[in-house]
Amino acid sequence: MRSVQVVMFMLCVLGGLYLLTQAPPFFLPSRGNPAIGLQFDALASRLLGAGLLALAAVGGFYLRAMYYAEERRLPGPAEQRRYFGLLLLALALLLAALLSAEIGPNPDYRPRVQQAN
């Protein structure tokens, strides 16, 4: 289980750094209908990258406290407030990225062609 957590941590760090530094515009298709979705511009991409990095910081604090410390112990009140603040920051950044992305048609979507008999 620890290896899965480290892989997810590294995906958040590397994905967040890429989105924050490169800010590529990209399209995220809808789950129910691939013909529509969210078009992320540079600002939304940077917000998403910052949210992923904040989430990676929370994951890093957790991994350090639970697996890489001398002794496993529950975090104190100050650490819990820091976790909670970083988690709220991550959620706010992710929500801001999703709200700033524009809903629109998929530029690469082509509907299925039905053959007439």
Side-chain angles (χ1 to χ4, degrees):
M1 188 66 180
R2 190 181 322 174
S3 60
V4 173
Q5 290 173 343
V6 171
V7 167
M8 294 306 292
F9 173 74
M10 290 307 298
L11 284 175
C12 283
V13 168
L14 294 176
L17 284 175
Y18 174 73
L19 288 172
L20 196 62
T21 58
Q22 301 297 318
F26 65 94
F27 183 79
L28 181 68
S30 173
R31 289 178 62 191
N33 185 1
I36 60 171
L38 296 173
Q39 181 66 42
F40 285 80
D41 59 352
L43 175 65
S45 186
R46 283 195 171 109
L47 286 171
L48 189 61
L52 285 174
L53 286 176
L55 199 58
V58 171
F61 286 142
Y62 172 78
L63 287 173
R64 186 186 63 192
M66 292 296 149
Y67 295 114
Y68 299 107
E70 295 267 334
E71 64 181 54
R72 285 188 180 179
R73 60 176 176 72
L74 293 175
E79 290 180 48
Q80 288 181 6
R81 285 189 202 99
R82 190 176 339 141
Y83 291 155
F84 184 69
L86 274 173
L87 193 57
L88 280 182
L89 177 67
L91 290 175
L93 288 169
L94 293 174
L95 183 65
L98 291 175
L99 290 177
S100 67
E102 295 182 19
I103 298 174
N106 188 343
D108 297 327
Y109 181 73
R110 292 180 182 80
R112 286 188 237 157
V113 177
Q114 295 184 4
Q115 298 179 0
N117 291 333

